[in-house]
């Protein structure tokens, strides 16, 4: 009813059809542009113009203003109308005067029924009713034109009574459609439950990933805040250092300038005095009267300057001022070194989420080593174990490699010594020799290592080139940091704050494995 009223509101009062390009007069009434144009054309002869709806008169031919809002409404209404025409509802077969929606369909009659005709329809069992459908013929057997009532399990087909008695399905096992439908629904419900379970697992996975993403974002925000704070502190330290150095330079400049200024002032006074004496002597030399020259008193003022004790008069002008001490750069060096350590700490902390999970490979362990059950600790044994000699095992050195090799990315792991004895830690290629003393960490071109000696001296080595570290290491732990793409291997002392020891730079060409060398003690890779 509302749709019909709306349709009437969208009809032009001239052509009585839905508006086409609606325009509006000053009085507010709307018409099709063509319709009102024709009316105004007929009114041109009389010179009197009026609205066909309200009869309001205009002295001149009224301008036509397009009604954009009404255009939009008409356009939407027509699209809705076209959509409804494309998808018509199922109407009653017997209501021929006007379409009435059907509520049920009779399979026997192959007809759709409205409420009115359903009340008078036959109630006999052969008149099977179903939901309204336009494809009633699909509910009947294509051969016998009877209602499909059974399901042939052998041929997996819906059949009628005649098919089961005289047709090609005679003698086959049959079940009712309701029974087969119930079984299929049961299977579908099982499938549905499995799908629901999978969906719940998927949703849980999504929630887990979202939680990981949230934590990653929070961690990134925390790292960004930490880096910002560190950089702010670095800038503050640099500014303080700059002010301190500039202040020291200014102090030393003043310290040296003041005595020099005093000496220059004294020399200027003496220069003026000497100039006065020179002018007086020149005047005497230029006099023509000998009496005047001889009568001039022979005072010390006219003595030869070279005979005077100049040092006493000038306060020792030949004496050089004391040279200032050289600028103390020790503080500058210390601060810059600290900044480098801070920056190294930032780098090793940002790009690596956590320590790598390192497990020792027993098949590579030398016969003097005992590997713990958790594959984290290597302990030196006085009595050698009898292990099979294989190409993977270190035969002449108490060394063991990690199972895992790194071919990319940034990784770090921490190693702890139980007692302060001789040991080495580092990395190596899997192609490292497993026999002879040249297989030790750092004594070949396929390994890089940090070595501790019994006298608490430390060195780093690669390809038998050893570099001694100047500082002692007080802690029992070291960190190995690897940046494969950058070609960097760094060692750190695990103290507070962590201290950088040395960085190797190389172009890595093979997978890199962690490598431990133990003697008279044990080394443990800290658990993640």
């Amino acid at each position: 009813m509302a749709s019909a009223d709306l349709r009437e509101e969208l009809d032009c009062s001239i052509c009585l059809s839905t508006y086409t390009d609606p325009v509006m007069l000053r009085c507010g009434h709307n018409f099709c542009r063509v319709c009102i144009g024709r009316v105004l054309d007929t009114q041109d002869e009389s010179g009197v113009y009026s609205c066909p709806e309200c009869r309001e008169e205009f002295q001149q031919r009224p301008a036509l203003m397009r009604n954009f809002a009404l255009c939009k409404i008409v356009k939407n209404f027509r699209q809705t109308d076209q959509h409804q025409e494309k998808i018509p509802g199922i109407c009653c077969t017997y209501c021929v005067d006007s379409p009435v929606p059907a509520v049920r369909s009779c399979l026997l009659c192959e007809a759709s029924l409205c409420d009115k005709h359903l009340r008078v329809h036959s109630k006999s069992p052969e008149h099977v009713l179903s939901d309204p459908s336009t494809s009633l013929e699909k509910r009947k057997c294509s051969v016998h034109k009877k209602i499909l009532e059974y399901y042939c399990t052998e041929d997996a087909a819906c059949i009628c009574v005649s098919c089961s008695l005289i047709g090609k399905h005679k003698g086959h096992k049959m079940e009712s459609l309701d029974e087969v439908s119930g079984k299929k629904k049961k299977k579908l419900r099982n499938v549905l439950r499995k799908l629901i379970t999978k969906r719940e697992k998927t949703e849980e996975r999504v929630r887990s990933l979202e939680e990981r993403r949230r934590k990653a974002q929070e961690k990134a925000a925390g790292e960004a805040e930490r880096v910002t704070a560190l950089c702010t502190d670095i800038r503050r330290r640099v500014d303080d250092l700059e002010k301190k150095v500039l202040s020291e330079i200014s102090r030393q400049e003043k310290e040296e300038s003041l005595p020099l200024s005093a000496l220059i002032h004294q020399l200027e006074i003496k220069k003026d005095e000497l100039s006065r004496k020179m002018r007086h002597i020149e005047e005497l030399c230029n006099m023509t009267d000998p009496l005047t020259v001889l009568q001039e008193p022979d005072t010390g003022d006219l003595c030869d300057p070279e005979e005077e004790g100049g040092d006493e008069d000038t306060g020792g002008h030949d004496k050089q001022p004391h040279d200032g001490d050289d600028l103390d750069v020790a503080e500058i060096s210390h601060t810059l070194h600290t900044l480098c350590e801070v920056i190294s700490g930032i780098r090793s902390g940002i790009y690596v989420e956590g320590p790598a999970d390192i497990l020792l490979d027993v098949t590579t362990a030398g016969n003097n080593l005992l590997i713990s059950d958790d594959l984290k600790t290597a302990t030196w044994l006085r009595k050698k174990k009898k292990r099979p000699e294989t190409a993977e095992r270190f035969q002449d050195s108490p060394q063991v490699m990690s199972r895992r090799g790194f071919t990319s990315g940034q990784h770090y792991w921490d190693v702890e010594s139980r007692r302060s004895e001789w040991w080495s830690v580092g990395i190596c290629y899997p192609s490292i020799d497993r026999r002879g003393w040249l297989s030790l960490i750092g004594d070949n071109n396929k390994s890089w290592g940090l070595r501790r000696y019994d006298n608490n001296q430390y060195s780093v080595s690669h390809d038998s080139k050893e570099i001694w570290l100047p500082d002692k290491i007080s802690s029992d732990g070291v960190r190995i940091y690897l940046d494969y793409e950058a070609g960097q291997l760094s060692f750190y002392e695990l103290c507070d704050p962590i201290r950088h020891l040395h960085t190797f730079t190389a172009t890595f060409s093979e997978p890199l494995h962690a490598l431990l060398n133990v003697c008279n003690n044990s080394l443990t890779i800290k658990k993640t």
Side-chain angles (χ1 to χ4, degrees), residues 35-88:
C35 296
I36 189 62
R38 290 172 181 171
V39 172
L40 295 177
D41 288 342
T42 60
Q43 293 176 353
D44 282 339
E45 299 178 359
S46 63
V48 178
Y49 303 95
S50 62
C51 171
E53 188 78 22
C54 64
R55 303 301 177 185
E56 181 179 344
E57 295 185 353
F58 309 100
Q59 294 181 356
Q60 297 179 352
R61 180 168 177 142
L64 302 179
M65 297 175 290
R66 190 176 187 188
N67 192 329
F68 291 97
L70 188 57
C71 286
K72 187 174 181 180
I73 294 172
V74 170
K75 181 180 178 182
N76 293 335
F77 187 81
R78 282 179 174 167
Q79 290 177 346
T80 305
D81 248 8
Q82 291 173 359
H83 182 71
Q84 290 177 349
E85 289 174 4
K86 291 179 182 177
I87 311 174

Short mmCIF file of all heavy atoms in Angstrom, two decimals, residues 35-88:
data_model
loop_
_atom_site.label_atom_id
_atom_site.label_comp_id
_atom_site.label_asym_id
_atom_site.label_seq_id
_atom_site.Cartn_x
_atom_site.Cartn_y
_atom_site.Cartn_z
N CYS A 35 6.60 17.45 -20.73
CA CYS A 35 5.17 17.71 -20.53
C CYS A 35 4.90 19.19 -20.26
O CYS A 35 4.03 19.82 -20.90
CB CYS A 35 4.64 16.85 -19.38
SG CYS A 35 4.71 15.08 -19.70
N ILE A 36 5.60 19.78 -19.31
CA ILE A 36 5.35 21.19 -18.99
C ILE A 36 5.80 22.10 -20.13
O ILE A 36 5.22 23.17 -20.36
CB ILE A 36 6.07 21.57 -17.66
CG1 ILE A 36 5.63 22.97 -17.20
CG2 ILE A 36 7.57 21.49 -17.81
CD1 ILE A 36 4.15 23.08 -16.91
N GLY A 37 6.79 21.64 -20.89
CA GLY A 37 7.23 22.42 -22.05
C GLY A 37 6.14 22.53 -23.09
O GLY A 37 5.92 23.61 -23.68
N ARG A 38 5.43 21.42 -23.32
CA ARG A 38 4.33 21.46 -24.29
C ARG A 38 3.21 22.37 -23.82
O ARG A 38 2.61 23.12 -24.61
CB ARG A 38 3.80 20.03 -24.51
CG ARG A 38 4.76 19.14 -25.27
CD ARG A 38 4.27 17.72 -25.29
NE ARG A 38 5.19 16.84 -25.99
CZ ARG A 38 5.09 15.50 -26.00
NH1 ARG A 38 4.10 14.91 -25.33
NH2 ARG A 38 5.97 14.78 -26.67
N VAL A 39 2.89 22.30 -22.51
CA VAL A 39 1.82 23.16 -21.97
C VAL A 39 2.19 24.63 -22.13
O VAL A 39 1.37 25.47 -22.55
CB VAL A 39 1.56 22.82 -20.49
CG1 VAL A 39 0.61 23.84 -19.86
CG2 VAL A 39 1.01 21.41 -20.35
N LEU A 40 3.43 24.98 -21.82
CA LEU A 40 3.86 26.38 -21.94
C LEU A 40 3.88 26.83 -23.40
O LEU A 40 3.63 28.01 -23.70
CB LEU A 40 5.24 26.56 -21.29
CG LEU A 40 5.30 26.33 -19.76
CD1 LEU A 40 6.73 26.46 -19.26
CD2 LEU A 40 4.39 27.33 -19.03
N ASP A 41 4.18 25.89 -24.31
CA ASP A 41 4.17 26.24 -25.74
C ASP A 41 2.77 26.63 -26.19
O ASP A 41 2.57 27.59 -26.97
CB ASP A 41 4.67 25.05 -26.58
CG ASP A 41 6.17 24.84 -26.42
OD1 ASP A 41 6.86 25.79 -25.96
OD2 ASP A 41 6.66 23.73 -26.73
N THR A 42 1.73 25.93 -25.71
CA THR A 42 0.35 26.27 -26.08
C THR A 42 -0.09 27.59 -25.45
O THR A 42 -0.99 28.27 -25.99
CB THR A 42 -0.60 25.16 -25.63
OG1 THR A 42 -0.52 25.00 -24.21
CG2 THR A 42 -0.26 23.84 -26.32
N GLN A 43 0.54 27.95 -24.28
CA GLN A 43 0.17 29.20 -23.61
C GLN A 43 0.89 30.41 -24.20
O GLN A 43 0.57 31.56 -23.87
CB GLN A 43 0.47 29.10 -22.11
CG GLN A 43 -0.39 28.08 -21.37
CD GLN A 43 0.00 27.94 -19.90
OE1 GLN A 43 0.99 28.52 -19.46
NE2 GLN A 43 -0.81 27.19 -19.15
N ASP A 44 1.89 30.15 -25.08
CA ASP A 44 2.62 31.27 -25.70
C ASP A 44 1.69 32.16 -26.53
O ASP A 44 1.88 33.38 -26.59
CB ASP A 44 3.75 30.72 -26.59
CG ASP A 44 4.96 30.28 -25.75
OD1 ASP A 44 5.08 30.75 -24.60
OD2 ASP A 44 5.77 29.46 -26.24
N GLU A 45 0.67 31.55 -27.18
CA GLU A 45 -0.22 32.32 -28.06
C GLU A 45 -1.03 33.34 -27.28
O GLU A 45 -1.22 34.47 -27.73
CB GLU A 45 -1.15 31.37 -28.80
CG GLU A 45 -0.40 30.37 -29.69
CD GLU A 45 -1.35 29.41 -30.38
OE1 GLU A 45 -2.57 29.53 -30.15
OE2 GLU A 45 -0.87 28.53 -31.13
N SER A 46 -1.50 32.97 -26.08
CA SER A 46 -2.30 33.91 -25.28
C SER A 46 -1.43 34.86 -24.47
O SER A 46 -1.89 35.92 -24.03
CB SER A 46 -3.23 33.12 -24.34
OG SER A 46 -2.45 32.35 -23.45
N GLY A 47 -0.18 34.47 -24.23
CA GLY A 47 0.71 35.33 -23.43
C GLY A 47 0.44 35.24 -21.95
O GLY A 47 1.01 36.00 -21.16
N VAL A 48 -0.46 34.33 -21.55
CA VAL A 48 -0.77 34.14 -20.12
C VAL A 48 -0.29 32.73 -19.75
O VAL A 48 -0.75 31.74 -20.33
CB VAL A 48 -2.29 34.27 -19.86
CG1 VAL A 48 -2.57 34.01 -18.37
CG2 VAL A 48 -2.78 35.65 -20.26
N TYR A 49 0.60 32.69 -18.75
CA TYR A 49 1.17 31.42 -18.33
C TYR A 49 0.67 31.07 -16.93
O TYR A 49 0.59 31.95 -16.06
CB TYR A 49 2.70 31.48 -18.32
CG TYR A 49 3.30 31.87 -19.66
CD1 TYR A 49 3.62 33.20 -19.95
CD2 TYR A 49 3.52 30.90 -20.63
CE1 TYR A 49 4.18 33.55 -21.17
CE2 TYR A 49 4.07 31.25 -21.86
CZ TYR A 49 4.40 32.57 -22.12
OH TYR A 49 4.91 32.91 -23.34
N SER A 50 0.33 29.82 -16.73
CA SER A 50 -0.17 29.37 -15.42
C SER A 50 0.27 27.95 -15.16
O SER A 50 0.57 27.17 -16.08
CB SER A 50 -1.70 29.46 -15.37
OG SER A 50 -2.28 28.61 -16.35
N CYS A 51 0.27 27.59 -13.86
CA CYS A 51 0.65 26.23 -13.44
C CYS A 51 -0.54 25.30 -13.68
O CYS A 51 -1.65 25.59 -13.23
CB CYS A 51 1.03 26.24 -11.95
SG CYS A 51 1.28 24.59 -11.27
N PRO A 52 -0.35 24.19 -14.37
CA PRO A 52 -1.45 23.25 -14.60
C PRO A 52 -2.00 22.65 -13.32
O PRO A 52 -3.12 22.15 -13.31
CB PRO A 52 -0.82 22.17 -15.48
CG PRO A 52 0.40 22.78 -16.07
CD PRO A 52 0.89 23.76 -15.06
N GLU A 53 -1.26 22.74 -12.23
CA GLU A 53 -1.68 22.10 -10.98
C GLU A 53 -2.48 23.06 -10.11
O GLU A 53 -3.58 22.76 -9.70
CB GLU A 53 -0.44 21.60 -10.22
CG GLU A 53 -0.73 20.76 -9.00
CD GLU A 53 -1.12 19.34 -9.37
OE1 GLU A 53 -0.79 18.86 -10.47
OE2 GLU A 53 -1.78 18.68 -8.53
N CYS A 54 -1.89 24.26 -9.83
CA CYS A 54 -2.54 25.21 -8.91
C CYS A 54 -3.10 26.43 -9.62
O CYS A 54 -3.67 27.33 -8.98
CB CYS A 54 -1.58 25.64 -7.82
SG CYS A 54 -0.15 26.57 -8.43
N ARG A 55 -2.87 26.53 -10.94
CA ARG A 55 -3.37 27.65 -11.76
C ARG A 55 -2.75 28.99 -11.40
O ARG A 55 -3.30 30.03 -11.77
CB ARG A 55 -4.90 27.75 -11.66
CG ARG A 55 -5.64 26.50 -12.06
CD ARG A 55 -5.32 26.12 -13.47
NE ARG A 55 -5.99 24.85 -13.86
CZ ARG A 55 -5.80 24.25 -15.01
NH1 ARG A 55 -4.94 24.77 -15.88
NH2 ARG A 55 -6.42 23.12 -15.28
N GLU A 56 -1.63 29.01 -10.71
CA GLU A 56 -0.96 30.28 -10.43
C GLU A 56 -0.43 30.85 -11.74
O GLU A 56 0.18 30.15 -12.54
CB GLU A 56 0.19 30.07 -9.44
CG GLU A 56 0.91 31.37 -9.10
CD GLU A 56 2.03 31.17 -8.09
OE1 GLU A 56 2.07 30.10 -7.43
OE2 GLU A 56 2.88 32.07 -7.97
N GLU A 57 -0.69 32.16 -11.95
CA GLU A 57 -0.31 32.79 -13.21
C GLU A 57 1.05 33.48 -13.09
O GLU A 57 1.44 33.94 -12.01
CB GLU A 57 -1.38 33.80 -13.63
CG GLU A 57 -2.73 33.17 -13.96
CD GLU A 57 -3.72 34.20 -14.49
OE1 GLU A 57 -3.38 35.42 -14.46
OE2 GLU A 57 -4.81 33.79 -14.92
N PHE A 58 1.76 33.52 -14.24
CA PHE A 58 3.07 34.17 -14.31
C PHE A 58 3.04 35.18 -15.43
O PHE A 58 2.46 34.94 -16.51
CB PHE A 58 4.16 33.13 -14.57
CG PHE A 58 4.11 31.94 -13.62
CD1 PHE A 58 3.54 30.74 -14.03
CD2 PHE A 58 4.60 32.04 -12.33
CE1 PHE A 58 3.48 29.66 -13.19
CE2 PHE A 58 4.55 30.95 -11.49
CZ PHE A 58 3.99 29.75 -11.90
N GLN A 59 3.62 36.36 -15.22
CA GLN A 59 3.62 37.41 -16.25
C GLN A 59 4.49 37.01 -17.44
O GLN A 59 4.19 37.38 -18.58
CB GLN A 59 4.13 38.72 -15.64
CG GLN A 59 3.21 39.29 -14.57
CD GLN A 59 3.72 40.60 -14.00
OE1 GLN A 59 4.81 41.04 -14.36
NE2 GLN A 59 2.92 41.21 -13.14
N GLN A 60 5.57 36.29 -17.19
CA GLN A 60 6.43 35.83 -18.27
C GLN A 60 6.52 34.30 -18.22
O GLN A 60 6.12 33.67 -17.25
CB GLN A 60 7.85 36.41 -18.11
CG GLN A 60 7.89 37.93 -18.22
CD GLN A 60 9.29 38.47 -18.03
OE1 GLN A 60 10.19 37.72 -17.68
NE2 GLN A 60 9.47 39.75 -18.29
N ARG A 61 7.01 33.75 -19.33
CA ARG A 61 7.16 32.29 -19.38
C ARG A 61 8.11 31.88 -18.27
O ARG A 61 9.26 32.33 -18.19
CB ARG A 61 7.72 31.85 -20.73
CG ARG A 61 7.90 30.34 -20.83
CD ARG A 61 8.17 29.92 -22.24
NE ARG A 61 8.43 28.47 -22.32
CZ ARG A 61 8.01 27.68 -23.29
NH1 ARG A 61 7.30 28.21 -24.31
NH2 ARG A 61 8.28 26.40 -23.29
N PRO A 62 7.63 31.02 -17.34
CA PRO A 62 8.45 30.67 -16.17
C PRO A 62 9.67 29.83 -16.54
O PRO A 62 9.63 29.03 -17.47
CB PRO A 62 7.48 29.88 -15.29
CG PRO A 62 6.49 29.31 -16.24
CD PRO A 62 6.33 30.32 -17.35
N ALA A 63 10.74 30.11 -15.81
CA ALA A 63 11.95 29.30 -16.00
C ALA A 63 11.75 27.94 -15.35
O ALA A 63 11.09 27.83 -14.30
CB ALA A 63 13.15 30.01 -15.38
N LEU A 64 12.31 26.91 -15.96
CA LEU A 64 12.16 25.53 -15.46
C LEU A 64 13.42 25.16 -14.68
O LEU A 64 14.53 25.15 -15.23
CB LEU A 64 11.94 24.57 -16.62
CG LEU A 64 10.72 24.89 -17.52
CD1 LEU A 64 10.64 23.87 -18.66
CD2 LEU A 64 9.44 24.88 -16.71
N MET A 65 13.23 24.87 -13.42
CA MET A 65 14.35 24.52 -12.55
C MET A 65 14.34 23.01 -12.30
O MET A 65 13.32 22.47 -11.85
CB MET A 65 14.26 25.26 -11.21
CG MET A 65 14.36 26.77 -11.34
SD MET A 65 14.09 27.61 -9.76
CE MET A 65 12.33 27.31 -9.52
N ARG A 66 15.43 22.37 -12.61
CA ARG A 66 15.49 20.91 -12.44
C ARG A 66 15.48 20.55 -10.97
O ARG A 66 16.23 21.12 -10.16
CB ARG A 66 16.76 20.35 -13.10
CG ARG A 66 16.76 18.82 -13.16
CD ARG A 66 17.96 18.30 -13.90
NE ARG A 66 17.87 16.85 -14.10
CZ ARG A 66 18.84 16.10 -14.57
NH1 ARG A 66 19.99 16.66 -14.93
NH2 ARG A 66 18.67 14.80 -14.73
N ASN A 67 14.67 19.58 -10.59
CA ASN A 67 14.55 19.12 -9.21
C ASN A 67 15.48 17.91 -9.03
O ASN A 67 15.12 16.77 -9.32
CB ASN A 67 13.10 18.73 -8.90
CG ASN A 67 12.87 18.54 -7.41
OD1 ASN A 67 13.77 18.14 -6.69
ND2 ASN A 67 11.65 18.82 -6.96
N PHE A 68 16.71 18.21 -8.56
CA PHE A 68 17.72 17.14 -8.47
C PHE A 68 17.34 16.09 -7.43
O PHE A 68 17.58 14.89 -7.63
CB PHE A 68 19.08 17.75 -8.12
CG PHE A 68 19.68 18.57 -9.22
CD1 PHE A 68 19.55 19.95 -9.24
CD2 PHE A 68 20.35 17.96 -10.27
CE1 PHE A 68 20.08 20.71 -10.27
CE2 PHE A 68 20.91 18.71 -11.29
CZ PHE A 68 20.77 20.08 -11.30
N ALA A 69 16.75 16.50 -6.31
CA ALA A 69 16.35 15.54 -5.28
C ALA A 69 15.30 14.57 -5.83
O ALA A 69 15.37 13.36 -5.62
CB ALA A 69 15.82 16.27 -4.06
N LEU A 70 14.32 15.11 -6.54
CA LEU A 70 13.28 14.26 -7.11
C LEU A 70 13.85 13.35 -8.19
O LEU A 70 13.42 12.19 -8.34
CB LEU A 70 12.16 15.14 -7.68
CG LEU A 70 10.89 14.41 -8.14
CD1 LEU A 70 10.30 13.59 -7.00
CD2 LEU A 70 9.85 15.41 -8.66
N CYS A 71 14.82 13.85 -8.96
CA CYS A 71 15.48 13.01 -9.97
C CYS A 71 16.11 11.78 -9.33
O CYS A 71 16.01 10.66 -9.84
CB CYS A 71 16.54 13.82 -10.72
SG CYS A 71 15.87 15.02 -11.89
N LYS A 72 16.76 11.99 -8.20
CA LYS A 72 17.43 10.90 -7.50
C LYS A 72 16.42 9.89 -6.98
O LYS A 72 16.61 8.67 -7.07
CB LYS A 72 18.28 11.45 -6.36
CG LYS A 72 19.14 10.42 -5.67
CD LYS A 72 20.05 11.08 -4.65
CE LYS A 72 20.94 10.03 -3.97
NZ LYS A 72 21.84 10.64 -2.97
N ILE A 73 15.30 10.40 -6.43
CA ILE A 73 14.27 9.50 -5.89
C ILE A 73 13.67 8.66 -7.00
O ILE A 73 13.48 7.44 -6.87
CB ILE A 73 13.18 10.32 -5.17
CG1 ILE A 73 13.77 11.01 -3.93
CG2 ILE A 73 12.01 9.44 -4.78
CD1 ILE A 73 12.83 11.98 -3.26
N VAL A 74 13.37 9.29 -8.13
CA VAL A 74 12.79 8.57 -9.26
C VAL A 74 13.75 7.49 -9.77
O VAL A 74 13.36 6.37 -10.08
CB VAL A 74 12.42 9.56 -10.39
CG1 VAL A 74 12.04 8.81 -11.66
CG2 VAL A 74 11.28 10.46 -9.94
N LYS A 75 15.03 7.85 -9.84
CA LYS A 75 16.03 6.89 -10.32
C LYS A 75 16.09 5.67 -9.41
O LYS A 75 16.09 4.52 -9.88
CB LYS A 75 17.39 7.58 -10.39
CG LYS A 75 18.50 6.68 -10.91
CD LYS A 75 19.81 7.43 -10.96
CE LYS A 75 20.94 6.51 -11.45
NZ LYS A 75 22.25 7.22 -11.47
N ASN A 76 16.14 5.89 -8.09
CA ASN A 76 16.19 4.77 -7.14
C ASN A 76 14.92 3.94 -7.20
O ASN A 76 14.97 2.70 -7.12
CB ASN A 76 16.40 5.29 -5.72
CG ASN A 76 17.77 5.92 -5.54
OD1 ASN A 76 18.70 5.60 -6.26
ND2 ASN A 76 17.91 6.82 -4.58
N PHE A 77 13.78 4.59 -7.35
CA PHE A 77 12.50 3.87 -7.40
C PHE A 77 12.44 2.98 -8.65
O PHE A 77 11.99 1.84 -8.59
CB PHE A 77 11.34 4.87 -7.41
CG PHE A 77 9.99 4.22 -7.28
CD1 PHE A 77 9.51 3.83 -6.05
CD2 PHE A 77 9.22 3.96 -8.41
CE1 PHE A 77 8.27 3.22 -5.94
CE2 PHE A 77 7.98 3.36 -8.30
CZ PHE A 77 7.50 2.98 -7.06
N ARG A 78 12.91 3.50 -9.77
CA ARG A 78 12.89 2.70 -11.00
C ARG A 78 13.83 1.50 -10.91
O ARG A 78 13.53 0.41 -11.39
CB ARG A 78 13.29 3.59 -12.18
CG ARG A 78 12.15 4.49 -12.64
CD ARG A 78 12.58 5.35 -13.79
NE ARG A 78 11.44 6.11 -14.31
CZ ARG A 78 11.55 7.13 -15.16
NH1 ARG A 78 12.75 7.51 -15.56
NH2 ARG A 78 10.46 7.75 -15.59
N GLN A 79 15.01 1.71 -10.28
CA GLN A 79 15.92 0.57 -10.10
C GLN A 79 15.30 -0.50 -9.23
O GLN A 79 15.43 -1.69 -9.50
CB GLN A 79 17.24 1.05 -9.49
CG GLN A 79 18.09 1.90 -10.43
CD GLN A 79 19.35 2.42 -9.76
OE1 GLN A 79 19.47 2.37 -8.54
NE2 GLN A 79 20.27 2.95 -10.55
N THR A 80 14.59 -0.09 -8.16
CA THR A 80 13.91 -1.06 -7.29
C THR A 80 12.83 -1.78 -8.04
O THR A 80 12.64 -3.00 -7.92
CB THR A 80 13.33 -0.33 -6.06
OG1 THR A 80 14.35 0.39 -5.41
CG2 THR A 80 12.70 -1.32 -5.10
N ASP A 81 12.08 -1.05 -8.85
CA ASP A 81 11.01 -1.64 -9.65
C ASP A 81 11.55 -2.69 -10.62
O ASP A 81 11.01 -3.78 -10.75
CB ASP A 81 10.29 -0.54 -10.45
CG ASP A 81 8.87 -0.34 -9.93
OD1 ASP A 81 8.55 -0.94 -8.89
OD2 ASP A 81 8.10 0.41 -10.56
N GLN A 82 12.69 -2.33 -11.28
CA GLN A 82 13.28 -3.26 -12.23
C GLN A 82 13.77 -4.51 -11.52
O GLN A 82 13.64 -5.62 -12.04
CB GLN A 82 14.43 -2.58 -12.97
CG GLN A 82 13.99 -1.47 -13.91
CD GLN A 82 15.17 -0.71 -14.49
OE1 GLN A 82 16.32 -1.00 -14.17
NE2 GLN A 82 14.88 0.29 -15.32
N HIS A 83 14.34 -4.33 -10.33
CA HIS A 83 14.83 -5.48 -9.58
C HIS A 83 13.69 -6.41 -9.19
O HIS A 83 13.80 -7.63 -9.26
CB HIS A 83 15.57 -5.00 -8.33
CG HIS A 83 16.16 -6.10 -7.52
ND1 HIS A 83 17.24 -6.84 -7.94
CD2 HIS A 83 15.80 -6.62 -6.30
CE1 HIS A 83 17.53 -7.75 -7.04
NE2 HIS A 83 16.67 -7.64 -6.03
N GLN A 84 12.56 -5.83 -8.78
CA GLN A 84 11.42 -6.64 -8.39
C GLN A 84 10.82 -7.35 -9.58
O GLN A 84 10.32 -8.47 -9.49
CB GLN A 84 10.36 -5.76 -7.71
CG GLN A 84 10.80 -5.26 -6.34
CD GLN A 84 9.79 -4.33 -5.71
OE1 GLN A 84 8.85 -3.89 -6.38
NE2 GLN A 84 9.99 -4.02 -4.44
N GLU A 85 10.89 -6.72 -10.74
CA GLU A 85 10.37 -7.36 -11.94
C GLU A 85 11.24 -8.53 -12.36
O GLU A 85 10.76 -9.54 -12.87
CB GLU A 85 10.31 -6.35 -13.08
CG GLU A 85 9.21 -5.30 -12.88
CD GLU A 85 9.25 -4.23 -13.95
OE1 GLU A 85 10.09 -4.38 -14.87
OE2 GLU A 85 8.48 -3.28 -13.88
N LYS A 86 12.57 -8.41 -12.13
CA LYS A 86 13.47 -9.50 -12.50
C LYS A 86 13.30 -10.69 -11.58
O LYS A 86 13.49 -11.82 -11.98
CB LYS A 86 14.93 -9.02 -12.43
CG LYS A 86 15.28 -8.00 -13.52
CD LYS A 86 16.72 -7.56 -13.36
CE LYS A 86 17.08 -6.51 -14.41
NZ LYS A 86 18.45 -6.00 -14.25
N ILE A 87 12.99 -10.46 -10.31
CA ILE A 87 12.86 -11.55 -9.35
C ILE A 87 11.41 -11.57 -8.82
O ILE A 87 11.13 -11.09 -7.71
CB ILE A 87 13.85 -11.39 -8.18
CG1 ILE A 87 15.26 -11.11 -8.73
CG2 ILE A 87 13.87 -12.62 -7.29
CD1 ILE A 87 16.26 -10.80 -7.68
N PRO A 88 10.48 -12.08 -9.58
CA PRO A 88 9.07 -12.09 -9.13
C PRO A 88 8.85 -13.16 -8.07
O PRO A 88 9.54 -14.18 -8.04
CB PRO A 88 8.30 -12.40 -10.41
CG PRO A 88 9.27 -13.18 -11.24
CD PRO A 88 10.62 -12.65 -10.92
#
